[in-house]
Amino acid sequence: MDSAKKQDLLSSESLYFNERGSGPPLLLVHGLMATGEMFEPITGQLASHHHLIIPDLRGHGQSRKLPPPYTPTQMASDLARLLDNLSIESAAVLGDSMGGAIAQQFALDYPKRCNRLVLASTYTYNFVTFGDKVVGRLIPFVVRVLGMRRFAKLALTLGTRQLSKERADRLAGIVAGQDLKLMLPALRETVIKFDSRRRLSEIKCPTLIVAGSIDHGDIRQAKMLNDGITGSKLIIMDNADHALLWGHTDEFMRIVEEFLKG
């Protein structure tokens, strides 16, 4: 069966996904309100050394046909099933932003299936302080009032100021294309409720944590992850913000490739 037919068959049963390259398998897990397209700046280079599996998570992009729940546990289960369908026993996993939370859940629920873990611009628990909790209550309201397109522009203005207009518009288009009715429950389950702090010590695979030096919330979360995951490596990228794989692509790729080569 050729690759296109195989992909169409598996997509009808589980997540929509793309494959690129050859070599050791590497699963790329995108953030909230995004799709696998967010990895566009790095897939070309990674595909020269890795077999990339790039899904759209449940409720996102071309996997929006899959019903709730949109919980980290369900999304991690979807990833395990995808690897089953591809006859892949274990893979390295790179998760960005919310994708890092799903990657943690995958490593916790399926430890033998995750051989290396890269957590970029992500979190273990978002609402430690009172101020965090206030923001957490406001975000769903803001998303609902603004709608996906205006929220995308606001989020990119606040969190990704280093991007060129072309790249910012590209990311905004990905976010704006999502279904608001699906994103709100996904937001509650994967960002507001997610808390991996008590289980971080269970993650045993080699782990790289990457955050941007001017993304202050991410730095705090990165340090919490580093403290909780025994033997993990923490790298703070100078002058990088939340969209570091888009704004500092070359440096990010150097760090990730060095880690994946072990």
Side-chain angles (χ1 to χ4, degrees):
M1 183 181 297
D2 64 41
S3 177
K5 289 182 179 178
K6 179 177 70 172
Q7 199 276 333
D8 288 341
L9 173 62
L10 297 182
S11 294
S12 68
E13 300 172 347
S14 56
L15 298 178
Y16 174 87
F17 69 99
N18 284 301
E19 294 179 276
R20 291 191 63 182
S22 61
L26 173 59
L27 183 61
L28 303 181
V29 190
H30 66 76
L32 181 70
M33 303 184 189
T35 69
E37 293 179 71
M38 69 162 286
F39 292 108
E40 180 182 330
I42 64 174
T43 51
Q45 185 172 337
L46 285 174
S48 64
H49 302 291
H50 301 279
H51 170 198
L52 301 182
I53 305 105
I54 315 168
D56 287 356
L57 294 171
R58 180 176 291 258
H60 294 72
Q62 296 191 63
S63 294
R64 67 180 63 189
K65 67 184 184 297
L66 298 178
Y70 303 121
T71 61
T73 298
Q74 178 61 61
M75 292 183 182
S77 176
D78 291 338
L79 296 179
R81 183 182 177 193
L82 176 57
L83 294 186
D84 285 341
N85 290 338
L86 294 171
S87 299
I88 295 173
E89 288 190 13
S90 70
V93 182
L94 187 160
D96 181 83
S97 194
M98 180 207 76
I102 307 308
Q104 291 172 61
Q105 193 71 50
F106 180 79
L108 289 166
D109 292 349
Y110 307 94
K112 294 182 179 180
R113 311 206 67 172
C114 181
N115 54 57
R116 281 185 176 269
L117 183 61
V118 180
L119 303 174
S121 300
T122 192
Y123 50 88
T124 177
Y125 178 60
N126 275 313
F127 305 108
V128 177
T129 69
F130 175 76
D132 294 335
K133 292 179 172 64
V134 172
V135 171
R137 289 181 178 274
L138 287 175
I139 291 175
F141 173 77
V142 172
V143 174
R144 189 180 294 109
V145 169
L146 292 180
M148 295 306 303
R149 187 166 299 278
R150 286 188 294 173
F151 178 77
K153 291 182 178 180
L154 174 64
L156 288 170
T157 299
L158 295 176
T160 58
R161 298 176 182 176
Q162 297 180 325
L163 297 186
S164 67
K165 185 178 185 304
E166 180 182 359
R167 286 196 162 187
D169 288 347
R170 176 72 178 125
L171 271 179
I174 293 173
V175 175
Q178 305 310 304
D179 186 329
L180 175 63
K181 293 180 181 179
L182 304 183
M183 292 301 97
L184 287 172
L187 169 65
R188 285 191 292 270
E189 295 293 343
T190 63
V191 176
I192 296 174
K193 292 183 180 181
F194 183 79
D195 185 355
S196 61
R197 290 174 295 175
R198 294 182 180 180
R199 297 192 64 193
L200 290 177
S201 62
E202 298 175 34
I203 297 177
K204 303 299 184 184
C205 64
T207 301
L208 171 67
I209 301 157
V210 187
S213 67
I214 59 175
D215 194 346
H216 300 297
D218 277 358
I219 290 179
R220 182 179 63 185
Q221 292 293 325
K223 290 178 178 177
M224 291 169 63
L225 286 163
N226 184 227
D227 290 341
I229 302 174
T230 304
S232 60
K233 180 178 182 179
L234 171 61
I235 293 181
I236 306 297
M237 291 176 54
D238 289 339
N239 199 37
D241 60 20
H242 190 72
L244 47 81
L245 75 82
W246 280 68
H248 295 260
T249 304
D250 292 342
E251 183 182 1
F252 180 74
M253 284 305 306
R254 177 185 60 76
I255 291 167
V256 169
E257 287 279 39
E258 182 179 303
F259 172 74
L260 293 177
K261 289 176 182 177

